[in-house]
mmCIF file of all heavy atoms in Angstrom:
data_model
loop_
_atom_site.group_PDB
_atom_site.id
_atom_site.type_symbol
_atom_site.label_atom_id
_atom_site.label_comp_id
_atom_site.label_asym_id
_atom_site.label_seq_id
_atom_site.Cartn_x
_atom_site.Cartn_y
_atom_site.Cartn_z
ATOM 1 N N PHE A 244 -27.176 19.688 29.353
ATOM 2 C CA PHE A 244 -28.503 20.039 28.829
ATOM 3 C C PHE A 244 -29.444 18.833 28.862
ATOM 4 O O PHE A 244 -30.621 18.956 29.219
ATOM 5 C CB PHE A 244 -28.368 20.583 27.409
ATOM 6 C CG PHE A 244 -29.680 20.904 26.767
ATOM 7 C CD1 PHE A 244 -30.481 21.929 27.260
ATOM 8 C CD2 PHE A 244 -30.141 20.187 25.670
ATOM 9 C CE1 PHE A 244 -31.710 22.228 26.684
ATOM 10 C CE2 PHE A 244 -31.367 20.477 25.086
ATOM 11 C CZ PHE A 244 -32.153 21.505 25.593
ATOM 12 N N TYR A 252 -37.352 22.227 28.358
ATOM 13 C CA TYR A 252 -37.042 23.158 27.264
ATOM 14 C C TYR A 252 -38.293 23.836 26.719
ATOM 15 O O TYR A 252 -38.307 25.042 26.496
ATOM 16 C CB TYR A 252 -36.312 22.409 26.148
ATOM 17 C CG TYR A 252 -35.874 23.312 25.013
ATOM 18 C CD1 TYR A 252 -34.725 24.096 25.139
ATOM 19 C CD2 TYR A 252 -36.600 23.390 23.822
ATOM 20 C CE1 TYR A 252 -34.315 24.930 24.102
ATOM 21 C CE2 TYR A 252 -36.195 24.217 22.798
ATOM 22 C CZ TYR A 252 -35.048 24.982 22.936
ATOM 23 O OH TYR A 252 -34.647 25.808 21.914
ATOM 24 N N VAL A 264 -31.851 26.867 28.049
ATOM 25 C CA VAL A 264 -31.502 26.484 26.669
ATOM 26 C C VAL A 264 -30.152 25.777 26.674
ATOM 27 O O VAL A 264 -29.461 25.737 27.696
ATOM 28 C CB VAL A 264 -31.474 27.725 25.737
ATOM 29 C CG1 VAL A 264 -32.876 28.253 25.506
ATOM 30 C CG2 VAL A 264 -30.561 28.818 26.292
ATOM 31 N N SER A 265 -29.772 25.233 25.522
ATOM 32 C CA SER A 265 -28.594 24.350 25.526
ATOM 33 C C SER A 265 -27.258 25.090 25.479
ATOM 34 O O SER A 265 -26.242 24.557 25.885
ATOM 35 C CB SER A 265 -28.656 23.417 24.319
ATOM 36 O OG SER A 265 -28.377 24.134 23.123
ATOM 37 N N ARG A 266 -27.256 26.298 24.933
ATOM 38 C CA ARG A 266 -25.999 27.052 24.685
ATOM 39 C C ARG A 266 -25.010 26.227 23.857
ATOM 40 O O ARG A 266 -23.790 26.316 24.027
ATOM 41 C CB ARG A 266 -25.340 27.483 25.990
ATOM 42 C CG ARG A 266 -26.201 28.448 26.756
ATOM 43 C CD ARG A 266 -25.494 29.027 27.939
ATOM 44 N NE ARG A 266 -26.460 29.757 28.741
ATOM 45 C CZ ARG A 266 -26.270 30.987 29.211
ATOM 46 N NH1 ARG A 266 -25.163 31.611 28.965
ATOM 47 N NH2 ARG A 266 -27.200 31.570 29.909
ATOM 48 N N LEU A 267 -25.546 25.445 22.952
ATOM 49 C CA LEU A 267 -24.669 24.660 22.076
ATOM 50 C C LEU A 267 -24.244 25.442 20.836
ATOM 51 O O LEU A 267 -23.431 24.962 20.038
ATOM 52 C CB LEU A 267 -25.388 23.376 21.640
ATOM 53 C CG LEU A 267 -25.407 22.237 22.665
ATOM 54 C CD1 LEU A 267 -26.342 21.120 22.199
ATOM 55 C CD2 LEU A 267 -23.997 21.679 22.891
ATOM 56 N N SER A 268 -24.796 26.649 20.652
ATOM 57 C CA SER A 268 -24.645 27.315 19.350
ATOM 58 C C SER A 268 -23.198 27.517 18.885
ATOM 59 O O SER A 268 -22.904 27.214 17.725
ATOM 60 C CB SER A 268 -25.420 28.632 19.331
ATOM 61 O OG SER A 268 -25.113 29.427 20.442
ATOM 62 N N LEU A 271 -21.883 24.133 17.815
ATOM 63 C CA LEU A 271 -22.430 23.687 16.520
ATOM 64 C C LEU A 271 -21.831 24.524 15.389
ATOM 65 O O LEU A 271 -21.528 24.008 14.313
ATOM 66 C CB LEU A 271 -23.956 23.831 16.522
ATOM 67 C CG LEU A 271 -24.705 22.703 17.241
ATOM 68 C CD1 LEU A 271 -26.137 23.121 17.582
ATOM 69 C CD2 LEU A 271 -24.729 21.431 16.382
ATOM 70 N N PHE A 302 -37.198 21.253 20.841
ATOM 71 C CA PHE A 302 -35.754 21.484 20.728
ATOM 72 C C PHE A 302 -35.260 21.113 19.323
ATOM 73 O O PHE A 302 -34.508 21.866 18.694
ATOM 74 C CB PHE A 302 -35.004 20.676 21.796
ATOM 75 C CG PHE A 302 -33.521 20.831 21.707
ATOM 76 C CD1 PHE A 302 -32.912 22.026 22.073
ATOM 77 C CD2 PHE A 302 -32.724 19.805 21.228
ATOM 78 C CE1 PHE A 302 -31.536 22.196 21.970
ATOM 79 C CE2 PHE A 302 -31.349 19.972 21.113
ATOM 80 C CZ PHE A 302 -30.757 21.159 21.489
ATOM 81 N N GLU A 305 -35.774 23.620 16.746
ATOM 82 C CA GLU A 305 -34.787 24.714 16.720
ATOM 83 C C GLU A 305 -33.556 24.293 15.923
ATOM 84 O O GLU A 305 -32.992 25.088 15.168
ATOM 85 C CB GLU A 305 -34.382 25.136 18.137
ATOM 86 C CG GLU A 305 -35.524 25.717 18.953
ATOM 87 C CD GLU A 305 -36.250 26.853 18.245
ATOM 88 O OE1 GLU A 305 -35.591 27.749 17.683
ATOM 89 O OE2 GLU A 305 -37.489 26.838 18.252
ATOM 90 N N ILE A 306 -33.173 23.034 16.102
ATOM 91 C CA ILE A 306 -32.103 22.500 15.243
ATOM 92 C C ILE A 306 -32.588 22.582 13.791
ATOM 93 O O ILE A 306 -31.817 22.843 12.868
ATOM 94 C CB ILE A 306 -31.762 21.032 15.636
ATOM 95 C CG1 ILE A 306 -31.268 20.959 17.090
ATOM 96 C CG2 ILE A 306 -30.769 20.408 14.678
ATOM 97 C CD1 ILE A 306 -29.896 21.556 17.347
ATOM 98 N N TRP A 308 -34.490 24.936 12.581
ATOM 99 C CA TRP A 308 -34.288 26.321 12.106
ATOM 100 C C TRP A 308 -32.854 26.515 11.612
ATOM 101 O O TRP A 308 -32.598 27.240 10.655
ATOM 102 C CB TRP A 308 -34.606 27.332 13.220
ATOM 103 C CG TRP A 308 -36.071 27.650 13.291
ATOM 104 C CD1 TRP A 308 -36.976 27.131 14.162
ATOM 105 C CD2 TRP A 308 -36.806 28.574 12.451
ATOM 106 N NE1 TRP A 308 -38.222 27.664 13.921
ATOM 107 C CE2 TRP A 308 -38.139 28.549 12.879
ATOM 108 C CE3 TRP A 308 -36.452 29.400 11.380
ATOM 109 C CZ2 TRP A 308 -39.138 29.318 12.281
ATOM 110 C CZ3 TRP A 308 -37.433 30.172 10.779
ATOM 111 C CH2 TRP A 308 -38.762 30.127 11.221
ATOM 112 N N ARG A 309 -31.944 25.856 12.278
ATOM 113 C CA ARG A 309 -30.547 25.921 11.811
ATOM 114 C C ARG A 309 -30.426 25.276 10.421
ATOM 115 O O ARG A 309 -29.755 25.794 9.530
ATOM 116 C CB ARG A 309 -29.645 25.203 12.836
ATOM 117 C CG ARG A 309 -28.204 25.104 12.444
ATOM 118 C CD ARG A 309 -27.372 24.416 13.530
ATOM 119 N NE ARG A 309 -25.980 24.337 13.138
ATOM 120 C CZ ARG A 309 -25.466 23.336 12.416
ATOM 121 N NH1 ARG A 309 -26.216 22.322 12.041
ATOM 122 N NH2 ARG A 309 -24.194 23.343 12.084
ATOM 123 N N ALA A 312 -31.921 27.658 7.891
ATOM 124 C CA ALA A 312 -31.032 28.789 7.581
ATOM 125 C C ALA A 312 -29.934 28.340 6.609
ATOM 126 O O ALA A 312 -29.563 29.090 5.686
ATOM 127 C CB ALA A 312 -30.420 29.349 8.866
ATOM 128 N N TRP A 368 -22.458 36.003 23.585
ATOM 129 C CA TRP A 368 -23.696 35.240 23.341
ATOM 130 C C TRP A 368 -24.871 36.037 23.902
ATOM 131 O O TRP A 368 -24.715 36.814 24.852
ATOM 132 C CB TRP A 368 -23.580 33.893 24.055
ATOM 133 C CG TRP A 368 -24.707 32.927 23.858
ATOM 134 C CD1 TRP A 368 -24.838 32.006 22.854
ATOM 135 C CD2 TRP A 368 -25.861 32.744 24.712
ATOM 136 N NE1 TRP A 368 -25.990 31.275 23.025
ATOM 137 C CE2 TRP A 368 -26.628 31.712 24.167
ATOM 138 C CE3 TRP A 368 -26.311 33.356 25.871
ATOM 139 C CZ2 TRP A 368 -27.825 31.265 24.730
ATOM 140 C CZ3 TRP A 368 -27.504 32.928 26.448
ATOM 141 C CH2 TRP A 368 -28.249 31.891 25.870
ATOM 142 N N MET A 369 -26.026 35.861 23.301
ATOM 143 C CA MET A 369 -27.238 36.495 23.820
ATOM 144 C C MET A 369 -28.369 35.476 23.692
ATOM 145 O O MET A 369 -28.415 34.710 22.716
ATOM 146 C CB MET A 369 -27.573 37.737 22.981
ATOM 147 C CG MET A 369 -28.574 38.691 23.608
ATOM 148 S SD MET A 369 -29.277 39.876 22.411
ATOM 149 C CE MET A 369 -27.895 40.846 21.959
ATOM 150 N N HIS A 370 -29.248 35.495 24.674
ATOM 151 C CA HIS A 370 -30.381 34.575 24.653
ATOM 152 C C HIS A 370 -31.260 34.856 23.420
ATOM 153 O O HIS A 370 -31.446 36.010 23.031
ATOM 154 C CB HIS A 370 -31.187 34.756 25.945
ATOM 155 C CG HIS A 370 -32.264 33.744 26.111
ATOM 156 N ND1 HIS A 370 -33.480 33.863 25.487
ATOM 157 C CD2 HIS A 370 -32.304 32.589 26.812
ATOM 158 C CE1 HIS A 370 -34.224 32.810 25.802
ATOM 159 N NE2 HIS A 370 -33.531 32.034 26.596
ATOM 160 N N ASN A 371 -31.837 33.804 22.831
ATOM 161 C CA ASN A 371 -32.600 33.966 21.585
ATOM 162 C C ASN A 371 -33.756 34.948 21.717
ATOM 163 O O ASN A 371 -33.984 35.778 20.827
ATOM 164 C CB ASN A 371 -33.125 32.613 21.108
ATOM 165 C CG ASN A 371 -33.924 32.749 19.824
ATOM 166 O OD1 ASN A 371 -33.402 33.208 18.813
ATOM 167 N ND2 ASN A 371 -35.203 32.403 19.873
ATOM 168 N N ARG A 374 -32.287 38.259 21.606
ATOM 169 C CA ARG A 374 -31.803 38.586 20.256
ATOM 170 C C ARG A 374 -32.955 39.140 19.423
ATOM 171 O O ARG A 374 -32.799 40.115 18.683
ATOM 172 C CB ARG A 374 -31.244 37.336 19.546
ATOM 173 C CG ARG A 374 -29.917 36.890 20.083
ATOM 174 C CD ARG A 374 -29.293 35.771 19.233
ATOM 175 N NE ARG A 374 -28.420 34.975 20.085
ATOM 176 C CZ ARG A 374 -27.374 34.277 19.681
ATOM 177 N NH1 ARG A 374 -27.045 34.230 18.411
ATOM 178 N NH2 ARG A 374 -26.637 33.582 20.526
ATOM 179 N N MET A 375 -34.108 38.504 19.535
ATOM 180 C CA MET A 375 -35.252 38.956 18.729
ATOM 181 C C MET A 375 -35.675 40.364 19.130
ATOM 182 O O MET A 375 -35.924 41.220 18.279
ATOM 183 C CB MET A 375 -36.424 37.985 18.879
ATOM 184 C CG MET A 375 -36.149 36.643 18.247
ATOM 185 S SD MET A 375 -37.617 35.623 18.052
ATOM 186 C CE MET A 375 -37.997 35.173 19.700
ATOM 187 N N ALA A 378 -32.811 42.947 18.275
ATOM 188 C CA ALA A 378 -32.702 43.174 16.829
ATOM 189 C C ALA A 378 -33.905 43.975 16.337
ATOM 190 O O ALA A 378 -33.771 44.928 15.555
ATOM 191 C CB ALA A 378 -32.609 41.829 16.107
ATOM 192 N N PHE A 396 -23.441 41.833 15.337
ATOM 193 C CA PHE A 396 -23.533 40.457 15.853
ATOM 194 C C PHE A 396 -22.391 39.600 15.279
ATOM 195 O O PHE A 396 -21.802 38.781 15.971
ATOM 196 C CB PHE A 396 -24.880 39.833 15.479
ATOM 197 C CG PHE A 396 -25.994 40.111 16.466
ATOM 198 C CD1 PHE A 396 -26.015 41.264 17.235
ATOM 199 C CD2 PHE A 396 -27.058 39.216 16.613
ATOM 200 C CE1 PHE A 396 -27.059 41.518 18.139
ATOM 201 C CE2 PHE A 396 -28.103 39.452 17.510
ATOM 202 C CZ PHE A 396 -28.101 40.612 18.273
ATOM 203 N N LEU A 400 -20.524 37.952 18.375
ATOM 204 C CA LEU A 400 -21.054 36.643 18.791
ATOM 205 C C LEU A 400 -19.990 35.553 18.662
ATOM 206 O O LEU A 400 -19.337 35.456 17.611
ATOM 207 C CB LEU A 400 -22.215 36.215 17.884
ATOM 208 C CG LEU A 400 -23.613 36.748 18.131
ATOM 209 C CD1 LEU A 400 -24.538 36.354 16.972
ATOM 210 C CD2 LEU A 400 -24.188 36.249 19.458
ATOM 211 N N ASP A 402 -20.963 32.582 18.431
ATOM 212 C CA ASP A 402 -21.629 31.630 17.528
ATOM 213 C C ASP A 402 -21.941 32.253 16.162
ATOM 214 O O ASP A 402 -22.732 31.682 15.401
ATOM 215 C CB ASP A 402 -22.897 31.043 18.169
ATOM 216 C CG ASP A 402 -23.988 32.092 18.452
ATOM 217 O OD1 ASP A 402 -24.037 33.115 17.749
ATOM 218 O OD2 ASP A 402 -24.799 31.863 19.376
ATOM 219 N N ALA A 403 -21.322 33.405 15.855
ATOM 220 C CA ALA A 403 -21.644 34.122 14.598
ATOM 221 C C ALA A 403 -21.637 33.145 13.423
ATOM 222 O O ALA A 403 -20.596 32.580 13.089
ATOM 223 C CB ALA A 403 -20.655 35.246 14.365
ATOM 224 N N CYS A 404 -22.766 32.973 12.811
ATOM 225 C CA CYS A 404 -22.929 31.895 11.835
ATOM 226 C C CYS A 404 -23.354 32.512 10.501
ATOM 227 O O CYS A 404 -24.278 33.328 10.468
ATOM 228 C CB CYS A 404 -24.001 30.938 12.353
ATOM 229 S SG CYS A 404 -24.589 29.756 11.143
ATOM 230 N N ASN A 407 -27.246 31.314 10.187
ATOM 231 C CA ASN A 407 -28.218 31.705 11.223
ATOM 232 C C ASN A 407 -28.267 33.207 11.472
ATOM 233 O O ASN A 407 -29.328 33.742 11.791
ATOM 234 C CB ASN A 407 -27.875 31.029 12.555
ATOM 235 C CG ASN A 407 -28.127 29.536 12.541
ATOM 236 O OD1 ASN A 407 -28.602 29.001 11.557
ATOM 237 N ND2 ASN A 407 -27.809 28.873 13.625
ATOM 238 N N ASN A 408 -27.129 33.874 11.361
ATOM 239 C CA ASN A 408 -27.125 35.293 11.711
ATOM 240 C C ASN A 408 -27.894 36.134 10.681
ATOM 241 O O ASN A 408 -28.853 36.812 11.046
ATOM 242 C CB ASN A 408 -25.687 35.778 11.916
ATOM 243 C CG ASN A 408 -25.646 37.107 12.644
ATOM 244 O OD1 ASN A 408 -26.414 37.349 13.578
ATOM 245 N ND2 ASN A 408 -24.776 37.990 12.209
ATOM 246 N N GLY A 411 -31.559 35.199 10.820
ATOM 247 C CA GLY A 411 -32.221 35.752 12.006
ATOM 248 C C GLY A 411 -32.534 37.231 11.821
ATOM 249 O O GLY A 411 -33.644 37.684 12.119
ATOM 250 N N TRP A 412 -31.575 37.967 11.306
ATOM 251 C CA TRP A 412 -31.795 39.408 11.105
ATOM 252 C C TRP A 412 -32.857 39.669 10.051
ATOM 253 O O TRP A 412 -33.693 40.553 10.191
ATOM 254 C CB TRP A 412 -30.476 40.106 10.755
ATOM 255 C CG TRP A 412 -29.707 40.415 11.999
ATOM 256 C CD1 TRP A 412 -28.730 39.650 12.587
ATOM 257 C CD2 TRP A 412 -29.895 41.552 12.863
ATOM 258 N NE1 TRP A 412 -28.298 40.245 13.745
ATOM 259 C CE2 TRP A 412 -28.984 41.409 13.940
ATOM 260 C CE3 TRP A 412 -30.725 42.665 12.831
ATOM 261 C CZ2 TRP A 412 -28.905 42.355 14.975
ATOM 262 C CZ3 TRP A 412 -30.641 43.608 13.856
ATOM 263 C CH2 TRP A 412 -29.746 43.441 14.905
ATOM 264 N N VAL A 415 -36.263 39.014 11.526
ATOM 265 C CA VAL A 415 -36.717 40.101 12.396
ATOM 266 C C VAL A 415 -37.102 41.326 11.572
ATOM 267 O O VAL A 415 -38.124 41.977 11.834
ATOM 268 C CB VAL A 415 -35.614 40.484 13.412
ATOM 269 C CG1 VAL A 415 -35.952 41.781 14.121
ATOM 270 C CG2 VAL A 415 -35.419 39.366 14.439
HETATM 271 P P1 FAD B 621 -31.093 26.380 21.788
HETATM 272 O O1 FAD B 621 -32.400 26.999 22.033
HETATM 273 O O2 FAD B 621 -30.577 25.444 22.795
HETATM 274 O O3 FAD B 621 -31.176 25.690 20.364
HETATM 275 C C1 FAD B 621 -30.289 24.634 19.956
HETATM 276 C C2 FAD B 621 -29.621 24.990 18.650
HETATM 277 O O4 FAD B 621 -30.592 25.188 17.621
HETATM 278 C C3 FAD B 621 -28.817 26.280 18.689
HETATM 279 O O5 FAD B 621 -27.539 26.075 19.244
HETATM 280 C C4 FAD B 621 -28.786 26.667 17.216
HETATM 281 O O6 FAD B 621 -27.791 25.954 16.524
HETATM 282 C C5 FAD B 621 -30.141 26.207 16.722
HETATM 283 N N1 FAD B 621 -31.086 27.323 16.783
HETATM 284 C C6 FAD B 621 -31.852 27.704 17.831
HETATM 285 N N2 FAD B 621 -32.642 28.735 17.485
HETATM 286 C C7 FAD B 621 -32.347 29.029 16.197
HETATM 287 C C8 FAD B 621 -32.830 30.000 15.269
HETATM 288 N N3 FAD B 621 -33.778 30.868 15.588
HETATM 289 N N4 FAD B 621 -32.300 30.018 14.026
HETATM 290 C C9 FAD B 621 -31.336 29.135 13.663
HETATM 291 N N5 FAD B 621 -30.860 28.186 14.500
HETATM 292 C C10 FAD B 621 -31.355 28.136 15.752
HETATM 293 N N6 FAD B 621 -27.757 31.437 15.988
HETATM 294 C C11 FAD B 621 -26.476 31.077 15.750
HETATM 295 O O7 FAD B 621 -26.118 29.920 15.966
HETATM 296 N N7 FAD B 621 -25.599 31.975 15.229
HETATM 297 C C12 FAD B 621 -25.947 33.256 14.953
HETATM 298 O O8 FAD B 621 -25.121 34.023 14.460
HETATM 299 C C13 FAD B 621 -27.277 33.669 15.250
HETATM 300 N N8 FAD B 621 -27.675 34.947 15.043
HETATM 301 C C14 FAD B 621 -28.970 35.307 15.328
HETATM 302 C C15 FAD B 621 -29.381 36.622 15.082
HETATM 303 C C16 FAD B 621 -30.687 37.025 15.356
HETATM 304 C C17 FAD B 621 -31.109 38.437 15.083
HETATM 305 C C18 FAD B 621 -31.593 36.097 15.885
HETATM 306 C C19 FAD B 621 -32.998 36.509 16.187
HETATM 307 C C20 FAD B 621 -31.208 34.784 16.109
HETATM 308 C C21 FAD B 621 -29.897 34.370 15.836
HETATM 309 N N9 FAD B 621 -29.462 33.052 16.069
HETATM 310 C C22 FAD B 621 -28.174 32.694 15.774
HETATM 311 C C23 FAD B 621 -30.426 32.008 16.480
HETATM 312 C C24 FAD B 621 -30.549 31.762 17.993
HETATM 313 O O9 FAD B 621 -30.720 32.965 18.675
HETATM 314 C C25 FAD B 621 -29.342 31.041 18.571
HETATM 315 O O10 FAD B 621 -29.034 29.903 17.806
HETATM 316 C C26 FAD B 621 -29.603 30.569 20.003
HETATM 317 O O11 FAD B 621 -29.922 31.669 20.808
HETATM 318 C C27 FAD B 621 -28.373 29.882 20.535
HETATM 319 O O12 FAD B 621 -28.555 29.486 21.856
HETATM 320 P P2 FAD B 621 -28.699 27.948 22.228
HETATM 321 O O13 FAD B 621 -27.584 27.183 21.612
HETATM 322 O O14 FAD B 621 -28.858 27.874 23.692
HETATM 323 O O15 FAD B 621 -30.062 27.579 21.514
#
Side-chain angles (χ1 to χ4, degrees):
F244 177 66
Y252 184 79
V264 290
S265 73
R266 296 188 190 228
L267 281 171
S268 51
L271 280 162
F302 178 71
E305 296 307 314
I306 299 290
W308 276 100
R309 176 178 180 273
W368 184 88
M369 195 196 294
H370 188 279
N371 180 60
R374 287 188 207 206
M375 292 194 289
F396 273 29
L400 278 171
D402 64 27
C404 167
N407 290 357
N408 196 40
W412 277 94
V415 168

